């Protein structure tokens, strides 16, 4: 406690970094007190400035690297990587990024999940061949900002870390290059037509966000302008369509209405302005229709590797009944259906279920059926009505992990295997610990790097009921 009282905001310190945190920030300790420092790496001794001190930990800003011992530091590709809150690991070599993510997964599952590391098969992480320009989706906040000559102009980019201050950038190193052309086009339209950007404080201004998707295999592009109201004339609509529709691959242009004072990006009302209501892409041999609010992984190349791992972990031979909970638009369900007797997908979002059914028809898949509702409510009823016992259950929940009631539901279904796909090793570890207490043992784990240059990592985990033999 005395050390915390001595540390003051803006105080400069010398700190040895010995670890990386959950989002890739460096961790150093002064007499056991942890300080988190963005852009710092293990093995480095740095000069840092105290930014904030909590009771158990604090935050500091790196000022200078004083000593560097095989930290893997490289020059970031993006000139604003340090200011931007998007990429947290551009300053670390890709080889070291993969090693960090493997270690993070293993540490979480052993420390939080209580796994015996010797009893688990840890498969090598699935890395990217080219960890740049891979993202197929981006959401850019927009604001009015003065340029160097003092002229107020609309800008788009990404939020600086832990703030809502926008770092203007249209040429992002991890987004597909088409994003820059789209951003520049919309911003020039706003400037020419005197269209204002949204201001969070006054709740005035029209354009809040630019939301862009690009299909990897078909090159189809979807653009959605998130608006603070409906004050967009026919002339504005016409000129916007003229500019955007000329971009190669442009397939869909939407307006989304969001007048709430909220941090949630998309509002409930979606208006098709031009083109078709979806773009089409594929994972492996399966094609998907993707609407603006559909969940679809941002890295299609790595997604195929991840789903292939999930398929291997499921151990299907064509006779199994599979339940896919949190099925979304059916991405994993349809990927598994070719090797299963029957697949049931459950998802709480109605639009996603509609997409899943359309995607099944699109691919001529007749052994997949989809239901809308909360899995913990829908599954027990359906399992009884359909007499559909589960041989394998697949879950791919949001970052917060599975609801406790859902985990109890899965256990009652008594599948021989559970394939858990997770975007957060911490909540995965919490959930597999609970499943372990109810008779399911983790057999295999494989990390997949879906987010090169960032701290997040995707994981596939195979759990097996203890009274069942290995698949």
């Amino acid at each position: 406690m005395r050390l915390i009282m001595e540390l003051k905001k803006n105080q400069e310190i010398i700190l040895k970094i010995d670890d990386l945190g959950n989002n890739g920030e460096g961790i150093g300790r002064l007499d056991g007190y942890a300080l988190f420092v963005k852009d710092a790496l293990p093995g480095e001794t740095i000069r840092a400035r105290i930014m904030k001190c909590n009771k158990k930990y604090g935050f500091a800003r790196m000022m200078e690297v004083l000593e560097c011992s095989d930290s893997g530091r490289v020059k970031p590709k993006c000139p604003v990587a340090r200011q931007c809150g998007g990429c947290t690991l551009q300053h670390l070599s890709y080889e070291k990024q993969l090693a960090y993510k493997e270690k993070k997964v293993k540490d979480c599952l052993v420390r939080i999940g209580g796994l015996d590391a010797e009893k688990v098969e840890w498969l090598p992480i699935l890395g990217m061949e080219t960890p740049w320009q891979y993202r197929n989706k981006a959401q850019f906040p927009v604001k009015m900002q003065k340029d160097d000559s003092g002229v107020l102009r609309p800008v788009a980019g990404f939020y600086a870390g832990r703030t809502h201050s926008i770092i203007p950038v249209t040429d992002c190193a991890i987004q597909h290059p088409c994003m820059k052309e789209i951003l520049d086009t919309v911003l020039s339209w706003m400037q020419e037509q005197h269209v204002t950007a949204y201001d969070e404080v006054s709740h005035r201004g029209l354009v809040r966000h630019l939301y862009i998707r690009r299909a990897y295999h078909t090159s189809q592009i979807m653009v959605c302008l998130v608006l603070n109201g409906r004050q967009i004339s026919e002339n504005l609509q016409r000129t916007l369509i003229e500019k955007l529709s000329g971009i190669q691959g442009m397939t869909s242009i939407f307006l989304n209405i969001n007048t709430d004072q909220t941090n949630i990006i998309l509002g409930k009302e979606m208006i098709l302005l031009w083109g078709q209501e979806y773009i089409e892409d594929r994972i492996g041999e399966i094609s998907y229709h993707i609407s603006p609010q559909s969940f679809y992984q941002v890295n299609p190349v790595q997604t195929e590797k991840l789903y292939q791992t999930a398929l291997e972990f499921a151990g299907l031979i064509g006779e199994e009944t599979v339940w896919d909970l949190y099925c979304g638009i059916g991405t994993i369900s349809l990927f598994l259906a070719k090797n299963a007797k029957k697949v049931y997908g459950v998802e709480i979002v109605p639009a996603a279920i509609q997409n899943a059914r359309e995607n099944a028809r699109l691919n001529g898949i007749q052994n997949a059926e989809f239901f809308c509702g909360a899995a913990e409510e829908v599954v027990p009823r359906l399992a009884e009505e359909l007499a559909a016992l589960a041989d394998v259950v697949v879950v791919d929940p949001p970052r917060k992990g599975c609801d406790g009631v859902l985990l109890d539901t899965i256990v009652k279904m008594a599948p021989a295997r559970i394939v858990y796909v997770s975007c957060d090793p911490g909540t995965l570890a919490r959930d597999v610990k609970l499943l372990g207490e109810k008779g399911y043992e983790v057999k295999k784990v494989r990390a997949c790097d879906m987010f090169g240059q960032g701290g997040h990592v995707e994981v596939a985990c195979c759990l097996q009921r203890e009274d069942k033999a290995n698949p």
Side-chain angles (χ1 to χ4, degrees):
M1 180 62 71
R2 181 186 172 192
L3 174 64
I4 303 174
M5 296 298 292
E6 290 175 351
L7 292 177
K8 298 178 181 179
K9 186 175 181 179
N10 295 324
Q11 177 183 345
E12 292 195 1
I13 58 171
I14 305 300
L15 187 66
K16 178 68 181 289
I17 304 299
D18 53 26
D19 203 354
L20 287 176
N22 190 49
N23 293 314
E25 65 275 40
I27 304 176
R29 290 173 174 81
L30 291 177
D31 295 337
Y33 182 72
L35 285 162
F36 293 84
V37 190
K38 186 179 182 292
D39 304 308
L41 296 172
E44 295 180 343
T45 299
I46 66 169
R47 180 169 61 88
R49 178 176 293 165
I50 300 295
M51 304 302 295
K52 182 179 180 181
C53 286
N54 296 323
K55 186 175 182 180
K56 295 183 178 180
Y57 59 88
F59 299 93
R61 181 187 301 277
M62 191 181 75
M63 307 301 293
E64 180 184 6
V65 177
L66 302 175
E67 295 179 16
C68 181
S69 175
D70 190 30
S71 65
R73 181 172 289 279
V74 296
K75 183 179 179 180
K77 197 169 188 174
C78 175
V80 294
R82 188 172 181 189
Q83 301 99 300
C84 179
C87 294
T88 56
L89 289 176
Q90 268 200 42
H91 56 293
L92 183 63
S93 71
Y94 189 60
E95 180 183 7
K96 295 268 187 178
Q97 289 182 35
L98 295 180
Y100 154 69
K101 292 178 182 184
E102 278 194 307
K103 181 178 182 295
K104 178 166 75 167
V105 169
K106 190 170 184 178
D107 286 352
C108 282
L109 287 171
V110 171
R111 179 174 53 86
I112 302 172
L115 301 190
D116 183 344
E118 300 299 321
K119 293 184 178 181
V120 177
E121 184 179 357
W122 304 92
L123 298 172
I125 188 171
L126 296 166
M128 302 171 61
E129 292 181 11
T130 306
W132 303 103
Q133 298 181 334
Y134 61 85
R135 285 187 62 98
N136 63 9
K137 183 180 82 167
Q139 298 164 147
F140 297 91
V142 186
K143 69 178 293 187
M144 303 301 294
Q145 191 165 294
K146 289 184 178 180
D147 62 17
D148 294 338
S149 60
V151 177
L152 196 64
R153 297 182 182 275
V155 299
F158 298 101
Y159 291 125
R162 301 178 183 277
T163 76
H164 268 210
S165 298
I166 293 178
I167 304 296
V169 57
T170 59
D171 192 10
C172 176
I174 63 171
Q175 305 286 353
H176 189 274
C178 77
M179 305 280 184
K180 174 175 170 52
E181 183 180 5
I182 294 166
L183 284 171
D184 288 342
T185 298
V186 174
L187 292 175
S188 69
W189 169 78
M190 291 178 66
Q191 185 71 17
E192 293 167 6
Q193 300 295 328
H194 307 290
V195 176
T196 58
Y198 178 68
D199 179 78
E200 290 180 326
V201 177
S202 66
H203 194 51
R204 294 179 178 176
L206 185 61
V207 181
R208 299 176 69 133
H209 278 80
L210 302 179
Y211 173 44
I212 306 169
R213 285 186 127 153
R214 179 188 181 273
Y216 177 80
H217 289 285
T218 65
S219 301
Q220 294 180 355
I221 297 170
M222 173 185 292
V223 174
C224 178
L225 271 69
V226 183
L227 305 181
N228 177 41
R230 297 174 171 274
Q231 303 91 347
I232 181 165
S233 67
E234 290 186 8
N235 178 63
L236 289 179
Q237 294 181 36
R238 178 180 54 79
T239 54
L240 177 64
I241 291 171
E242 286 176 355
K243 282 182 171 289
L244 286 177
S245 61
I247 295 174
Q248 185 174 359
M250 189 60 61
T251 304
S252 305
I253 303 173
F254 282 89
L255 301 178
N256 177 266
I257 310 304
N258 184 359
T259 58
D260 294 338
Q261 289 183 278
T262 175
N263 290 333
I264 297 172
I265 294 174
L266 291 178
K268 294 179 181 179
E269 185 178 1
M270 193 73 67
I271 301 169
L272 178 64
L273 194 61
W274 177 90
Q276 63 189 39
E277 295 184 341
Y278 59 85
I279 57 175
E280 185 174 326
D281 203 2
R282 65 179 186 270
I283 301 173
E285 299 175 355
I286 308 298
S287 296
Y288 300 92
H289 285 177
I290 307 159
S291 61
Q293 292 171 305
S294 300
F295 172 76
Y296 190 72
Q297 295 280 9
V298 300
N299 188 332
V301 174
Q302 292 300 99
T303 296
E304 185 169 347
K305 297 178 185 178
L306 178 68
Y307 287 3
Q308 187 61 45
T309 299
L311 180 61
E312 292 169 5
F313 284 3
L316 304 177
I317 60 172
E319 300 298 323
E320 294 86 359
T321 297
V322 180
W323 287 80
D324 180 12
L325 314 182
Y326 302 103
C327 72
I329 64 171
T331 47
I332 295 182
S333 304
L334 301 181
F335 204 80
L336 298 174
K338 61 183 178 180
N339 290 76
K341 179 181 178 181
K342 183 76 175 184
V343 175
Y344 296 100
V346 181
E347 169 63 53
I348 198 169
V349 180
I353 286 296
Q354 182 179 344
N355 282 158
R357 291 168 179 163
E358 291 171 355
N359 290 329
R361 287 193 292 269
L362 176 66
N363 291 277
I365 293 174
Q366 298 180 345
N367 64 330
E369 197 169 351
F370 297 95
F371 301 92
C372 187
E376 60 271 19
E377 298 173 4
V378 172
V379 171
R381 172 177 57 81
L382 288 175
E384 182 177 348
E385 290 178 1
L386 301 170
L389 300 178
D391 297 303
V392 178
V393 168
V394 178
V395 289
D396 185 6
R399 196 169 298 281
K400 66 180 181 180
C402 291
D403 181 89
V405 177
L406 178 58
L407 292 177
D408 289 337
T409 301
I410 293 172
V411 172
K412 290 177 183 177
M413 296 170 75
R417 288 178 298 284
I418 300 171
V419 180
Y420 195 133
V421 178
S422 171
C423 58
D424 190 315
T427 56
L428 168 66
R430 178 202 67 199
D431 291 349
V432 299
K433 182 177 183 180
L434 292 172
L435 289 170
E437 293 169 354
K438 297 176 184 295
Y440 283 88
E441 185 177 3
V442 174
K443 293 294 184 180
K444 300 177 184 179
V445 175
R446 186 162 215 165
C448 180
D449 185 28
M450 303 277 280
F451 313 101
Q453 317 310 324
H456 296 304
V457 61
E458 204 88 7
V459 192
C461 186
C462 177
L463 299 95
Q464 191 159 303
R465 208 167 72 220
E466 291 178 355
D467 61 347
K468 290 288 183 179
N470 287 331

